[in-house]
Structures are given as structure tokens and as C-alpha cells.
Amino acid sequence: MSAGLIDTSSNMALFRSIFLNDIPLIDTRAPIEFEKGAFPSSVSLPLMTNDERAKVGVCYKQHGQQAAIELGHSLVCGGVKEQRVAAWIEFARRNPQGYLYCWRGGLRSQICEQWMTEADCDYPRVDGGYKAMRRFLIDEFERICSQHPLLLLGGRTGCNKTALIEGSGRAADLEGLANHLGSSFGRRADGQPSQLNFENALAISMLKAERQAAQTGQPMLFEDEGRLLGRCVLPPALMAAMKRSSIVVLEASLEERVEHSHRNYILNKLAEWQQQLGEAYAFDTFAEDLTQALFRVRKRLGGVVYGEISNLLEQALNAHRKGDPEKHRGWIERLLVDYYDPMYDYQLRSRSDLIVFRGDRAAVCDWLNIEF
């Protein structure tokens, strides 16, 4: 597509194409804006730094637009300008199908486009910028939630529902998008996205799931989750859709669930902390994370049970420090039996009329038409 402002009448089709095909995007807003909320396929190559943007903003309020533009040009000039233009051109060379945008498709992206054109690089900018694309995602998200049937995959903690979600091809992996394992113990070493980033990625994932569901004639699949995944909040439209959706229940033995939880919450999480912090500091952080996660559910456990499981956890951590991670299985089993199972069973009984199938992994895969 030639450079220049994208025709407003084609925006819907353009946005859909960008998000369904992960089209690369240059985000020319300041880093602080990018960190608050952006799109999965975008990279931050700002016209101005946070400090430069702040100065221009103050100038705009005090002296008007023209004075702010002149200040901006004085701040981004010479070698600084050359470096930033070179970064945009390099991105365009590697991603000729891409676009650039700012907050509303206004002055900042216009300046970037102009400077790139002056350097013999034509690159299109998005009409409406981040704000218009974000509005598109919100509208599409709410449309999908209200119009399309969803199918929930439920099951007790440790059933490894996520593997089926990932293998279905027509699902939005809520835990993956939130970078969280979905319980008090679900914190990941590399942290979670901002709420806006989570919502943007979720909407895009739902667009892709809708397309795949349409191709296969199957409903979109979601893991049966609560409102919170760590600090990420599921939007109200999705929660409303999930409350009225049919449920497929995956069943697994206690032994299988302990094994999965041990691998996921102990072995894999320690490996994540080691990769993030290095061997010297990882175990202490890992141990503190487990201890605090158990402390957060102490009231629901009750004082006696909490004390017993806490002692088992402490013994397991001491053994683990000496090279034996197997003792974790004891407190994991107690926690599943005394806390997670009763809680999930109670929640599921209140929606028993929505259950359309239940079975082991092979049976559920067959019912969902997922390769086992």
C-alpha cells in the first residue's frame, strides 16, 4: 500500500487484517504510553522520549500548538533525529507490509511519515492511531461475546486443561495471555502484562479463535476461569458470556493432578526463577513465593489445616534445598483435597445444568475433536 493516511472507510477491514495476520506496527508514542498499553505485533520506536513529550505537553498548554511543534523540532533534531529516522527505516526495510501509528494518527505519526518520506522511504500510517484500533478491538470483543456460543473446559485443579486449550486451535488461552497459572500459586517469574495489554491481546486472540471456529464449525473454547488471573481482570462481557456457556468437564485422578501440579508449580516454576534471577537468588525467591501464596489462602483453609500444610511446605522446601523436590507432593495433595477440590466442586454444582459432557482426557479430546 502506498504511503499516506489510510482511507477511513477501509479502517475496519484494515484493522481486522492487521490483528488477524499479526502485521508489524511502529508505535511512535512515548515509551510511557507504550508500556501502559500497546498491541502484540507493535514495537516502541518513539518520536519523543518521555521527558521530551512532557516538555512539549507543558509548552502546548502554556503557549499553544505552534509553539509546541517548534519545541518538538528543536528537541528532536540533528543526530537525534537521524538516529530515530534510521530506526524507523530499518524497521520498514524488515517489515515492508507494516504501518506506523501514534495516539490518534495525528501530528506525531504525520511527522514520522514525513521524515521517512524525505529519506526516500514511503511507509503508511494508521488513520485514528492507537485509539481507533483499541476501539475496534473493544467493539469486536463485545460483539463476539454477545453473538457467538462459547464452550468452557472445566475440571479440578491439576487436570492440565491448558494443554487441551492450546491444542484445540479454536481457543483463547486466558492463562497464557495473562502469563499466570490461574490460582493463588500461579504467579510467573517474568510478571504479567498491563491490563490494557492483556485486554488487547485477548481481543485479538478471540478474533483468531472466531475465524478458526467458523472454519471448523466448532464453538470457541475457553478454560473455565474466575474473574481474576493474578492482577489481570477478565472483562465483564466475557464473564457474562462464560456464565451462560456450556461446560465440558475434564476428569483426572488425584495422582495425575498431583503429578501435574508438582511439575508445573514446583519444577517448572523454580526453573523460571533460575532463568530470571540466576542460581544464587532463585531458590529463596521461589520459596518465598510459595510461602506467601499459601498464606493468602489461610483464612479459607482455617487455622488448623493451614498450620498443617504450612509445616509440610516448610519440610518440603528444606528437603528441596538439599536436592530432593519430591516432598512437595505431600502438601500439594493436601491442598488439592482440602482446598481446591471442595471449592471447585461447590462452584460447579451451581452450574450443573450447563454441563454437556464429562470424561477423562481421551474421552474429552474425542468429544471436542481434538487430537489426543
Side-chain angles (χ1 to χ4, degrees):
M1 184 177 293
S2 62
L5 194 63
I6 307 303
D7 182 6
T8 302
S9 64
S10 67
N11 267 5
M12 293 286 285
L14 172 65
F15 295 166
R16 185 176 300 277
S17 175
I18 285 174
F19 295 128
L20 285 177
N21 298 293
D22 299 319
I23 299 297
L25 299 167
I26 298 177
D27 189 320
T28 67
R29 299 174 301 157
I32 192 172
E33 297 172 280
F34 182 85
E35 291 166 7
K36 182 178 180 181
F39 306 115
S41 65
S42 64
V43 298
S44 178
L45 293 174
L47 172 64
M48 293 183 289
T49 65
N50 293 334
D51 288 343
E52 290 164 352
R53 171 178 173 266
K55 291 176 181 177
V56 170
V58 171
C59 183
Y60 178 86
K61 291 179 180 179
Q62 294 179 346
H63 306 291
Q65 184 183 71
Q66 187 56 41
I69 293 174
E70 292 173 0
L71 175 60
H73 280 285
S74 69
L75 292 172
V76 185
C77 63
V80 171
K81 174 182 174 181
E82 291 175 2
Q83 289 176 359
R84 293 177 191 175
V85 172
W88 300 332
I89 292 176
E90 173 59 20
F91 182 93
R93 184 190 64 79
R94 290 184 284 106
N95 304 284
Q97 76 278 33
Y99 298 86
L100 61 85
Y101 69 89
C102 62
W103 171 239
R104 293 183 180 177
L107 280 174
R108 284 183 286 182
S109 57
Q110 289 176 29
I111 291 171
C112 296
E113 179 192 25
Q114 177 187 336
W115 288 354
M116 292 177 74
T117 300
E118 291 171 355
D120 295 323
C121 178
D122 293 335
Y123 211 60
R125 61 188 172 91
V126 176
D127 180 18
Y130 174 84
K131 186 175 182 181
M133 289 188 284
R134 164 80 176 166
R135 183 72 258 170
F136 168 81
L137 288 179
I138 292 173
D139 291 344
E140 287 296 280
F141 177 84
E142 293 181 348
R143 175 189 62 79
I144 292 171
C145 288
S146 65
Q147 295 181 3
H148 287 266
L150 309 180
L151 186 61
L152 301 185
L153 179 62
R156 288 175 167 180
T157 300
C159 286
N160 194 13
K161 300 179 286 292
T162 301
L164 296 190
I165 292 290
E166 292 174 343
S168 72
R170 60 180 191 273
D173 180 4
L174 300 175
E175 292 184 2
L177 294 170
N179 200 36
H180 196 273
L181 299 178
S183 75
S184 175
F185 294 81
R187 179 187 174 199
R188 305 291 294 271
D190 54 348
Q192 291 191 262
S194 69
Q195 180 66 23
L196 287 179
N197 279 344
F198 171 67
E199 291 175 2
N200 289 341
L202 173 57
I204 293 167
S205 183
M206 289 185 70
L207 281 172
K208 294 177 179 179
E210 179 190 40
R211 177 177 61 180
Q212 185 64 23
Q215 293 172 352
T216 61
Q218 302 277 359
M220 291 182 290
L221 188 63
F222 290 78
E223 187 167 341
D224 189 13
E225 299 281 7
R227 188 176 70 92
L228 293 176
L229 287 166
R231 72 182 184 195
C232 292
V233 183
L234 296 188
L238 179 57
M239 288 301 301
M242 293 173 74
K243 286 181 179 178
R244 61 177 181 266
S245 297
S246 300
I247 305 171
V248 174
V249 180
L250 174 63
E251 297 176 334
S253 68
L254 177 60
E255 182 181 5
E256 291 173 317
R257 295 188 295 119
V258 170
E259 173 62 29
H260 173 73
S261 298
H262 181 262
R263 181 173 62 254
N264 221 29
Y265 291 94
I266 304 302
L267 304 181
N268 291 350
K269 283 194 71 175
L270 178 57
E272 287 182 3
W273 284 114
Q274 289 170 336
Q275 184 176 12
Q276 193 77 12
L277 301 176
E279 295 282 345
Y281 303 101
F283 195 90
D284 286 344
T285 304
F286 160 76
E288 179 65 15
D289 181 53
L290 289 178
T291 302
Q292 288 299 316
L294 182 61
F295 183 77
R296 285 193 290 271
V297 299
R298 69 193 184 283
K299 292 183 179 179
R300 292 186 178 181
L301 286 170
V304 174
V305 175
Y306 169 71
E308 292 172 353
I309 296 178
S310 182
N311 287 335
L312 289 174
L313 172 58
E314 184 177 356
Q315 293 171 23
L317 288 170
N318 289 335
H320 198 169
R321 285 182 187 275
K322 299 174 183 177
D324 178 15
E326 295 304 306
K327 287 188 178 297
H328 286 289
R329 296 178 189 274
W331 71 265
I332 289 173
E333 181 171 332
R334 281 291 308 275
L335 194 64
L336 291 176
V337 172
D338 291 342
Y339 176 62
Y340 283 110
D341 289 359
M343 179 173 61
Y344 183 76
D345 292 348
Y346 172 80
Q347 293 171 348
L348 192 62
R349 279 196 299 271
S350 68
R351 299 180 294 157
S352 59
D353 58 318
L354 295 173
I355 298 174
V356 294
F357 185 81
R358 64 166 70 229
D360 63 15
R361 185 168 299 273
V364 167
C365 285
D366 183 63
W367 197 88
L368 292 173
N369 195 26
I370 298 174
E371 186 175 344
F372 179 54

